[in-house]
Amino acid sequence: ILNVEQSPQSLHVQEGDSTNFTCSFPSSNFYALHWYRWETAKSPEALFVMTLNGDEKKKGRISATLNTKEGYSYLYIKGSQPEDSATYLCASNSGGYQKVTFGTGTKLQVIP
Amino acid sequence: DAGVTQSPTHLIKTRGQQVTLRCSPKSGHDTVSWYQQALGQGPQFIFQYYEEEERQRGNFPDRFSGHQFPNYSSELNVNALLLGDSALYLCASSLGPEGVLSYNEQFFGPGTRLTVL
């Protein structure tokens, strides 16, 4: 993996369903991984910063895991609500301390 | 606490012109980073300012320059605009320049939408 890749690009889920998406990043020279939540017409909001292999972070119904050896992070949303509808961005500065790369995001729409 | 503010919200320019975008960081923050987000892409890091100096820079040409003022606010200048410069420009502030992505949480502004015709 040379770039930060996110999948899926978009998804629709029903209210109450749980969902998850993936961020893949270069595993060499890993420094930190960030997840952001970006609602339309608003500013990106930081959700988590993760640095250690095996890290798990949780904020309410949203949680994230990190595997730095294989270069991936999962974001989980339990019991999705319409207000969870947003684009979820991950960003990593693997591959060099000063090289920061954002993924293109996963656009989530929760259908009431 | 006003958070990160950016101005203007939208801007339309023509090729060859110059543009200046402005950012005021969150209260208490001293570091400002600028990002460009083109349609369908993730934000691309342009540069970071701390103590009124450019500390780090992404892969952007010299047409992109910036400035940070003593009150920590910042400007992004783009000269000789190209059609490809059309994008959303995001500003983010943090406390301390410890790497572009550090353990210090970044707070983003709402962005300036630049359209180059």
Side-chain angles (χ1 to χ4, degrees), chain B residues 73 108 113:
Chain B
S73 67
F108 281 85
R113 174 74 63 185

Side-chain angles (χ1 to χ4, degrees), chain A residues 31-32 34 36 38 42-44 46 49 51 89 91-93 97-98 100 102-104, chain B residues 35 37 40-43 45 56 88 90 98-103 105-106 108-110:
Chain A
Y31 185 71
H34 288 236
Y36 293 88
W38 196 357
K42 294 187 177 180
S43 308
V49 55
T51 58
L89 282 170
S92 167
N93 58 340
Y97 174 78
Q98 296 184 350
V100 62
F102 274 83
T104 54
Chain B
Y35 296 84
Q37 188 188 29
Q41 297 184 19
F45 172 69
Q56 300 184 48
L88 179 70
L90 293 165
E98 188 187 341
V100 172
L101 278 190
S102 67
Y103 304 169
E105 186 177 0
Q106 285 194 104
F108 281 85

Side-chain angles (χ1 to χ4, degrees), chain B residues 8-103:
Chain B
T9 306
H10 296 87
L11 203 52
I12 299 175
K13 292 285 188 178
T14 57
R15 281 178 297 176
Q17 285 189 310
Q18 179 265 343
V19 69
T20 297
L21 310 182
R22 295 176 177 82
C23 172
S24 291
K26 180 179 169 64
S27 177
H29 283 184
D30 57 8
T31 303
V32 173
S33 301
W34 287 92
Y35 296 84
Q36 179 197 67
Q37 188 188 29
L39 196 63
Q41 297 184 19
Q44 303 283 318
F45 172 69
I46 304 175
F47 43 52
Q48 181 187 70
Y49 275 84
Y50 172 69
E51 292 187 336
E52 301 180 49
E53 290 186 7
E54 182 182 299
R55 295 289 175 153
Q56 300 184 48
R57 190 178 183 93
N59 295 325
F60 279 81
D62 292 343
R63 298 187 296 110
F64 289 76
S65 63
H67 188 77
Q68 186 178 35
F69 299 94
N71 67 353
Y72 308 120
S73 67
S74 176
E75 289 182 348
L76 163 66
N77 301 294
V78 187
N79 294 322
L81 284 167
L82 303 173
L83 294 179
D85 295 331
S86 295
L88 179 70
Y89 288 84
L90 293 165
C91 163
S93 74
S94 59
L95 182 61
E98 188 187 341
V100 172
L101 278 190
S102 67
Y103 304 169

Side-chain angles (χ1 to χ4, degrees), chain A residues 28-42:
Chain A
S28 61
N29 298 322
F30 175 80
Y31 185 71
L33 183 106
H34 288 236
W35 280 101
Y36 293 88
R37 179 173 176 274
W38 196 357
E39 290 182 72
T40 302
K42 294 187 177 180

